[in-house]
Amino acid sequence: MDAQNIRSMDDSDQNPEQGFTSDYLLYLLAAASDAASAQFHAQVRDRGLKVPEWRVMACLAEQDGQMITRLAKIALYEQSRLTRIIEKMEEKGLVRRSPDSQDGRRVRVFLNAPAREMALDLIRQARAHEQELLDVIRNTGADRIKPTLKTLIRHLDPDTPLDS
Amino acid sequence: MDAQNIRSMDDSDQNPEQGFTSDYLLYLLAAASDAASAQFHAQVRDRGLKVPEWRVMACLAEQDGQMITRLAKIALYEQSRLTRIIEKMEEKGLVRRSPDSQDGRRVRVFLNAPAREMALDLIRQARAHEQELLDVIRNTGADRIKPTLKTLIRHLDPDTPLDS
DNA sequence: TGCGTAAGTATGAAAATTCATATAAATTCC
DNA sequence: GGAATTTATATGAATTTTCATACTTACGCA
């Protein structure tokens, strides 16, 4: 090899891709999602829940008795993964499973009462936290962000259920 | 692929939290990030790269010779995880490591030439893909989304480097 | 009715990720 | 100068996640 290209402390180099990452939509989406979620997830863990458990509970609080596959889609998890998440949640007593009476292949998942309480409570916290974030971007586009994201999601994955 | 969206007619449940999830900012961010990334990641895998490898390469294409910790922060990975990602990338011949001459604790990571080629190429593809997405949200707030996300990120994690 | 196909869930095994902590080099500060 | 502290990376072990596929039930239809 040639002489080592030892960089000085000041990191002053000619980078042909200057500022790609930090202005790249996919990166900004991932970074924003990560950072925002991390903040709220602390509150989730304070309740002895894991993040996937919270996600599932939030889905079920809205629509109890979902089937595994659909729950997986909504919660953004892979089906086999969700199956195992539900198994653990059942052991913890958060949910119960029962096969669909109409279609024996389906397994429907129901929130147990105490878990529902906790879910509703967390949803309140989530709404408060969301409002804080919206306040942060009040002057930057708080009113446009949700519609924009929804448009994107609908386009990329028409199956994702988005009401409004 | 074609996930069925068939809710049984009998799904008449009282949901006190109607429409929480599908209008919740953190959910929309995660869902949008997931869906958008999934689309581009297919192109990454076509080149025989794993997603973490692409992320690291994109960072290094911009600023070669980063240290592990910083790379981890930018690429949104945990430090110990990044260490292992870099190990594999080194085995694959994508990058090389060398200890910082000034500070023996630091390990700097450099892109090898062929990997740089590939990175620059993928960055081009990424830009094209990004443009497609921006076109999709052209009328919904394409001009506001990046600034909004950046404001959010800066607020949540002031250490994240965002130029513009 | 019976057969081929599809849908829904589960599961083994491999790969990845996390968490706590070890190790080692630099810095602080007395 | 050196002990205490902080910073940077690596690593063991447990846990989680993925991938392919098995398994079961339902459905289409000749």
Side-chain angles (χ1 to χ4, degrees):
Chain A
M1 308 311 160
D2 304 293
Q4 297 294 318
N5 180 16
I6 298 174
R7 304 165 58 74
S8 45
M9 304 297 280
D10 54 273
D11 269 345
S12 54
D13 52 22
Q14 73 304 1
N15 35 17
E17 293 311 329
Q18 176 66 277
F20 163 67
T21 294
S22 57
D23 192 52
Y24 177 44
L25 181 59
L26 266 49
Y27 177 74
L28 296 174
L29 281 170
S33 178
D34 265 39
S37 296
Q39 201 170 62
F40 182 68
H41 290 349
Q43 304 187 54
V44 171
R45 296 210 189 76
D46 285 347
R47 301 208 177 220
L49 294 176
K50 303 195 171 178
V51 171
E53 296 174 338
W54 146 244
R55 283 210 203 174
V56 168
M57 286 165 69
C59 292
L60 292 177
E62 242 181 291
Q63 309 224 45
D64 208 16
Q66 292 277 14
M67 49 182 281
I68 300 277
T69 302
R70 184 164 183 72
L71 213 42
K73 177 161 200 65
I74 300 175
L76 308 177
Y77 292 119
E78 221 156 5
Q79 178 268 313
S80 70
R81 182 177 174 186
L82 189 72
T83 289
R84 293 189 235 243
I85 289 167
I86 296 297
E87 266 168 22
K88 295 247 176 102
M89 291 181 77
E90 196 165 38
E91 288 168 17
K92 273 189 168 187
L94 295 170
V95 302
R96 60 187 181 284
R97 272 188 281 204
S98 76
D100 187 299
S101 52
Q102 310 303 306
D103 186 336
R105 295 169 301 181
R106 301 183 175 181
V107 172
R108 296 204 172 267
V109 185
F110 298 87
L111 266 184
N112 288 327
R116 169 171 292 272
E117 290 298 297
M118 194 179 286
L120 295 181
D121 226 51
L122 271 171
I123 287 176
R124 275 177 227 117
Q125 283 184 236
R127 287 192 157 122
H129 176 246
E130 177 184 43
Q131 191 51 57
E132 288 175 24
L133 296 186
L134 289 172
D135 286 345
V136 168
I137 55 177
R138 186 173 32 220
N139 304 310
T140 328
D143 54 329
R144 295 311 306 153
I145 185 142
K146 284 191 191 181
T148 303
L149 293 174
K150 286 181 189 178
T151 300
L152 211 44
I153 295 166
R154 280 202 199 86
H155 171 81
L156 292 166
D157 181 5
D159 293 333
T160 300
L162 294 179
D163 37 34
S164 43
Chain B
M1 293 297 205
D2 43 356
Q4 297 300 316
N5 200 7
I6 302 170
R7 268 173 71 83
S8 345
M9 312 307 275
D10 58 281
D11 267 339
S12 53
D13 45 31
Q14 77 301 11
N15 35 17
E17 293 310 331
Q18 175 67 279
F20 163 66
T21 294
S22 57
D23 192 54
Y24 177 45
L25 181 58
L26 295 202
Y27 177 75
L28 296 174
L29 281 170
S33 179
D34 266 39
S37 296
Q39 201 170 64
F40 183 68
H41 290 349
Q43 305 188 52
V44 171
R45 296 208 190 77
D46 285 346
R47 303 208 174 221
L49 293 176
K50 303 197 170 175
V51 172
E53 296 173 336
W54 146 243
R55 283 211 203 173
V56 167
M57 285 165 69
C59 292
L60 292 177
E62 240 181 292
Q63 309 224 45
D64 207 18
Q66 292 278 13
M67 49 182 281
I68 299 277
T69 301
R70 183 164 185 73
L71 215 41
K73 178 161 200 63
I74 299 176
L76 307 176
Y77 293 119
E78 222 156 4
Q79 178 266 313
S80 69
R81 182 177 173 188
L82 189 71
T83 288
R84 293 189 235 241
I85 290 167
I86 296 298
E87 266 167 21
K88 295 246 176 104
M89 291 181 76
E90 195 166 37
E91 287 169 17
K92 274 189 167 187
L94 296 170
V95 301
R96 60 188 181 286
R97 274 188 281 206
S98 76
D100 188 298
S101 53
Q102 310 302 307
D103 187 335
R105 295 168 302 181
R106 301 182 175 182
V107 171
R108 297 202 171 267
V109 185
F110 299 87
L111 266 183
N112 288 327
R116 169 172 292 274
E117 289 298 296
M118 193 180 285
L120 295 181
D121 226 50
L122 271 170
I123 287 177
R124 274 176 228 120
Q125 283 184 237
R127 287 191 158 123
H129 176 246
E130 176 184 44
Q131 191 51 57
E132 287 174 24
L133 296 185
L134 289 172
D135 286 345
V136 168
I137 54 177
R138 186 174 31 222
N139 304 309
T140 328
D143 53 330
R144 296 310 306 154
I145 185 138
K146 285 191 189 181
T148 303
L149 293 174
K150 286 181 188 179
T151 300
L152 210 44
I153 294 166
R154 281 203 198 85
H155 171 82
L156 292 165
D157 182 4
D159 293 334
T160 300
L162 296 179
D163 37 34
S164 43

